[in-house]
Amino acid sequence: DQQVKQNSPSLSVQEGRISILNCDYTNSMFDYFLWYKKYPAEGPTFLISISSIKDKNEDGRFTVFLNKSAKHLSLHIVPSQPGDSAVYFCAAKPAYSGSARQLTFGSGTQLTVLP
Amino acid sequence: DAGITQSPRHKVTETGTPVTLRCHQTENHRYMYWYRQDPGHGLRLIHYSYGVKDTDKGEVSDGYSVSRSKTEDFLLTLESATSSQTSVYFCAISEEGTGTVMNTEAFFGQGTRLTVV
């Protein structure tokens, strides 16, 4: 039973347009959410996070939106660039966890930004 | 970039042989983790460590053991490798949040691609 779901295995977007990556979760104890980006032959790198006390967090071209009632979060990339082509993992953990040991990952979405 | 080194980066081994993967960190972080990445499953936690000689099981621990004799090193051992353990293995580290900084992200190594034939 996947507690964090990324239902789109892949997404293609034209350069300069908006990329929207979606993530759904089922565990109501999840209170902190993260996005990781992964290039081929490299490890995942932390991109952006959001706590449940917020509904939006912005960092440059990247914005994460959280809808707690729908148990849904999304990552917006505006404008998309070819260098953004990577696999994006959504992850979630309970607030009571003071470390990353309770992180639950989604299966990832391959984003391809076309020049 | 966090100082995490995984070795080897690639390994091909035969079914039934023991295999040990090594993770070395230079960040002095308390927590270390081993994940495996498989298509359709994302990253799944195998084992983690919360200090020297302190380890615990993750979601997919069957067939794996770990050891941490020093803060900087975390070893993952497949006692008798099987084809189902063909995967990409990632080591990660994190520090424990304190006070209001309760939510810390994990930093990942570059991965080890293991093929069991």
Side-chain angles (χ1 to χ4, degrees):
Chain A
D1 178 33
Q2 279 193 304
Q3 299 186 63
V4 178
K5 298 179 184 178
Q6 294 178 255
N7 291 318
S8 298
S10 62
L11 174 69
S12 292
V13 172
Q14 210 69 34
E15 180 178 5
R17 299 289 187 99
I18 184 171
S19 295
I20 300 176
L21 295 93
N22 294 304
C23 179
D24 297 294
Y25 62 97
T26 58
N27 189 338
S28 58
M29 296 299 292
F30 287 151
D31 220 5
Y32 189 70
F33 305 89
L34 307 89
W35 285 94
Y36 281 82
K37 179 168 72 172
K38 184 186 177 305
Y39 292 119
E42 294 185 10
T45 56
F46 170 74
L47 186 59
I48 192 169
S49 63
I50 188 167
S51 166
S52 61
I53 61 173
K54 295 185 176 182
D55 55 17
K56 176 183 173 180
N57 188 27
E58 204 170 341
D59 184 2
R61 297 186 298 113
F62 302 90
T63 302
V64 55
F65 295 92
L66 176 62
N67 183 333
K68 281 196 72 178
S69 61
K71 292 190 175 68
H72 176 83
L73 64 155
S74 60
L75 175 68
H76 293 213
I77 306 173
V78 184
S80 301
Q81 299 174 353
D84 296 329
S85 297
V87 176
Y88 290 80
F89 290 102
C90 171
K93 73 180 181 79
Y96 60 75
S97 174
S99 75
R101 65 186 181 274
Q102 300 277 5
L103 270 179
T104 300
F105 285 85
S107 54
T109 297
Q110 171 69 58
L111 173 66
T112 302
V113 180
L114 305 168
Chain B
D1 289 346
I4 309 169
T5 305
Q6 291 186 231
S7 58
R9 294 293 313 278
H10 301 270
K11 185 168 182 68
V12 179
T13 192
E14 292 186 350
T15 299
T17 60
V19 178
T20 295
L21 308 183
R22 180 179 182 246
C23 178
H24 179 79
Q25 64 149 326
T26 58
E27 305 295 322
N28 201 35
H29 279 6
R30 177 182 176 186
Y31 289 93
M32 299 186 75
Y33 314 81
W34 278 107
Y35 288 88
R36 59 180 288 174
Q37 184 199 358
D38 303 290
H41 290 279
L43 292 152
R44 293 181 292 174
L45 183 64
I46 304 171
H47 282 278
Y48 68 95
S49 169
Y50 47 97
V52 173
K53 297 185 179 175
D54 293 323
T55 65
D56 206 348
K57 296 178 180 180
E59 177 188 359
V60 289
S61 59
D62 287 348
Y64 302 95
S65 63
V66 291
S67 66
R68 190 169 178 198
S69 58
K70 297 185 290 185
T71 299
E72 57 266 35
D73 291 325
F74 193 32
L75 304 180
L76 176 71
T77 297
L78 291 66
E79 300 291 347
S80 178
T82 67
S83 59
S84 65
Q85 294 175 311
T86 292
S87 186
V88 181
Y89 291 86
F90 288 99
C91 174
I93 63 174
S94 74
E95 196 49 274
E96 182 166 18
T98 57
T100 58
V101 187
M102 285 297 290
N103 295 302
T104 59
E105 65 268 20
F107 301 95
F108 286 82
Q110 292 191 300
T112 295
R113 181 172 294 277
L114 177 68
T115 303
V116 183
V117 298

